[in-house]
Amino acid sequence: MTVLMWNPGLETGIPLIDDQHRQLLGQFEALLAAIHEHRPDVRIPGLLAFLADYVETHFSTEESYMRAACYPGYLGHKAIHDDMRAQVVRLVDDFHKDPANMTGEVVDFLTDWLMNHIYEEDRSMAQFLIRFSSARTEIA
């Protein structure tokens, strides 16, 4: 079951962020596969725990880059991250309450994260960061 595939349209041009996005997509794919297995309760708790931890790592990385570059969209981007952090917490809580009813929430979260966040927010942020990095290199 392959739902999510990395493609050049997802690339930000910042290697660490792109690597983290690839890893997150791999975990999302594993999570979706686990949901469709006959015994998802065996794999899903560990995948959700990893996802919650890794999302925090990834968002913290992006936020540190944005602060270092004085990214003008930092507050808005961080607010989106904070909302997405809360969504992951809800996914974990909802799974513990009703494991069988998790599929729709995960698909909605992935769609929002992929289509809106990476394609729009992260790529816009990355363009600024790359220009900022280039400008700093030219000044030095």
Side-chain angles (χ1 to χ4, degrees), residues 2-15:
T2 299
V3 175
L4 310 170
M5 291 185 64
W6 182 260
N7 68 70
L10 293 169
E11 290 182 8
T12 64
I14 299 174

Side-chain angles (χ1 to χ4, degrees), residues 79-100:
I80 292 168
H81 283 174
D82 291 343
D83 181 58
M84 294 174 83
R85 285 175 174 110
Q87 286 182 53
V88 170
V89 168
R90 277 192 301 276
L91 286 176
V92 172
D93 290 345
D94 289 350
F95 171 76
H96 292 298
K97 291 175 189 169
D98 185 9

Side-chain angles (χ1 to χ4, degrees), residues 29-103:
E29 181 68 30
L31 182 58
L32 287 175
I35 288 169
H36 291 94
E37 290 178 355
H38 295 292
R39 297 203 45 216
D41 55 315
V42 174
R43 291 184 58 208
I44 290 178
L47 288 168
L48 285 174
F50 173 87
L51 184 61
D53 182 58
Y54 203 78
V55 162
E56 182 57 40
T57 298
H58 174 64
F59 289 164
S60 293
T61 297
E62 286 187 358
E63 290 164 8
S64 69
Y65 282 8
M66 289 187 281
R67 283 191 308 272
C70 298
Y71 178 55
Y74 171 74
L75 291 176
H77 201 117
K78 185 176 182 322
I80 292 168
H81 283 174
D82 291 343
D83 181 58
M84 294 174 83
R85 285 175 174 110
Q87 286 182 53
V88 170
V89 168
R90 277 192 301 276
L91 286 176
V92 172
D93 290 345
D94 289 350
F95 171 76
H96 292 298
K97 291 175 189 169
D98 185 9
N101 204 17
M102 188 175 180
T103 306

